[in-house]
Amino acid sequence: MEACLIVTYRCNAKCYMCNTWRHPSRREEEFSPELVGKLPGGLQFINITGGEPFLRPDIQEIIAAALTKTKRLVISTNGYFTESIADAAARFGNRIGLRISLEGLPDANDELRGIKHGFDHGLRTLGSLHAMGMKDIGFGITVADRNAGDMMELYRIANAMGLEFATATTHNSFYFHKNNNAYQDPDRVAAAFEEIAVALLKTGRPKNWFRAYFNMGLANKVRGNPRPLPCEVGTDMFFVDPSGNVMPCNGSDQPLIMGNLHEQGFEEIWQGPRAAEVRRQVAHCPKQCWMIGSAAPAMKKKISVPLRWVLRNKLRLIKNPHNTRLDPVSG
């Protein structure tokens, strides 16, 4: 099982695709590091996110608590607070991973993130982490019309620096306080994801081959098609919001709250009647999200589906390295 901890809704960015910064959580009401101790042990993965996680002065205590619960921990950040991020990296070393959100090359990133010199801060943070010997570090980009053309350039930068490259596409939900994210040219945006998928599949890293499948799923999402694998959030993974609410995901139009960790133990929530009702709602959810939090567990659970796609398309590229068309993924 995997988890995502939303440690704050406070943010120093004003992103184009997200209005969370207009609805910040109150610092005194955000859950404490001690509450992390109520999570189940033996999780496969935890993502710490926000808002901007490094706005919390106790972020290192949250990280320390989360590390006792999971095999792998990655923190998502806009990379602005270089010193605080480097301090965490110095303390925890390669027990943690970090993804710096960059929404394109400098002009696009700073425009879309609403942070002056945001690209410079993010790149400086990545450079510092790289120099410290951190292994699990990389870029993350949320793609829309404005920055789709920058995605391949960012991938090449990440590849040249030996960094990971994470992708997502804009969507609407209660979490983002948005209902008007849309594509003016979905074919162009989808084609950008497909180009990345080809590049990933041509590498010698099996992990990248499955990322190629994930990116084809993003292209599929942009085109308005059903997701290729069932969504089982609330079963395979869960979110905790800054108030301690346990939810299946952050992609719904309204929060689907299973329970609150200030009031109940995790198992009581997870096995309770409200959680069962939320899972029924997830089973009939019309949104067809394709985000890494819900896609990765589904891909692992039904590994034969992406594996067959990888083998089929990898062989095609071996036979014809100039091929730029991959099979679509379909529900």
Side-chain angles (χ1 to χ4, degrees):
M1 188 159 60
E2 301 184 358
C4 181
L5 307 183
I6 308 169
V7 298
T8 183
Y9 285 139
R10 292 177 287 128
C11 194
N12 61 313
K14 298 176 176 63
C15 294
Y16 75 101
M17 76 294 193
C18 174
N19 280 332
T20 296
W21 60 276
R22 296 181 183 273
H23 304 271
S25 47
R26 296 175 63 183
R27 178 173 167 177
E28 63 272 18
E29 295 178 355
E30 294 168 352
F31 68 74
S32 68
E34 288 72 27
L35 185 128
V36 179
K38 298 184 75 171
L39 300 180
L43 295 171
Q44 295 297 309
F45 176 72
I46 289 178
N47 174 231
I48 290 177
T49 189
E52 171 47 51
F54 285 92
L55 283 172
R56 288 201 55 162
D58 58 352
I59 187 61
Q60 290 196 26
E61 285 63 45
I62 292 175
I63 294 169
L67 281 170
T68 68
K69 300 294 183 176
T70 185
K71 295 180 180 179
R72 180 170 177 246
L73 174 68
V74 171
I75 306 156
S76 300
T77 168
N78 60 41
Y80 193 86
F81 301 106
T82 302
E83 186 175 337
S84 296
I85 296 168
D87 285 346
R91 175 177 174 181
F92 298 106
N94 283 310
R95 291 192 292 158
I96 64 172
L98 288 140
R99 294 293 177 273
I100 310 299
S101 298
L102 293 176
E103 304 306 334
L105 297 175
D107 285 349
N109 178 80
D110 293 1
E111 175 189 336
L112 297 176
R113 287 237 153 222
I115 307 179
K116 188 177 182 180
H117 306 310
F119 184 90
D120 294 350
H121 279 273
L123 198 61
R124 185 177 294 113
T125 297
L126 279 168
S128 298
L129 295 172
H130 190 264
M132 294 172 69
M134 296 293 290
K135 303 297 184 185
D136 190 1
I137 56 175
F139 300 153
I141 180 172
T142 300
V143 180
D145 294 270
R146 173 65 177 85
N147 60 351
D150 286 356
M151 182 160 52
M152 181 54 73
E153 292 301 323
L154 277 183
Y155 168 74
R156 288 172 180 147
I157 293 170
N159 203 38
M161 295 178 65
L163 305 176
E164 302 294 333
F165 187 70
T167 51
T169 185
T170 55
H171 57 282
N172 299 302
S173 74
F174 79 89
Y175 173 78
F176 292 104
H177 296 273
K178 291 280 283 188
N179 59 13
N180 61 349
N181 282 322
Y183 312 104
Q184 296 176 2
D185 190 347
D187 286 337
R188 176 175 169 271
V189 176
F193 282 117
E194 290 163 354
E195 184 182 16
I196 290 290
V198 171
L200 289 165
L201 202 54
K202 285 183 175 179
T203 69
R205 296 181 65 198
K207 186 175 182 179
N208 279 350
W209 306 345
F210 288 92
R211 285 177 174 160
Y213 177 90
F214 172 73
N215 276 274
M216 289 298 289
L218 289 172
N220 180 71
K221 166 65 177 174
V222 171
R223 296 186 192 281
N225 298 322
R227 57 179 285 151
L229 294 170
C231 179
E232 295 189 47
V233 292
T235 300
D236 295 331
M237 76 100 57
F238 63 90
F239 281 63
V240 179
D241 77 4
S243 298
N245 293 313
V246 177
M247 306 176 294
C249 67
N250 66 343
S252 55
D253 291 330
Q254 299 295 328
L256 300 176
I257 297 173
M258 295 173 154
N260 188 286
L261 288 170
H262 291 294
E263 301 167 0
Q264 298 172 278
F266 181 84
E267 284 303 317
E268 184 182 0
I269 293 171
W270 200 243
Q271 304 298 334
R274 176 58 188 161
E277 172 57 28
V278 165
R279 292 185 188 107
R280 284 191 288 270
Q281 293 179 56
V282 168
H284 296 95
C285 177
K287 298 202 63 153
Q288 303 299 318
C289 300
W290 188 254
M291 295 177 282
I292 194 63
S294 63
M299 289 170 62
K300 293 170 187 174
K301 193 169 188 176
K302 296 184 179 293
I303 189 65
S304 62
V305 176
L307 179 60
R308 285 195 299 269
W309 182 93
V310 164
L311 292 175
R312 186 168 63 249
N313 287 278
K314 184 68 175 174
L315 286 172
R316 185 178 300 162
L317 284 176
I318 291 172
K319 291 177 181 178
N320 180 10
H322 300 294
N323 179 51
T324 59
R325 295 186 63 84
L326 302 177
D327 291 342
V329 295
S330 59

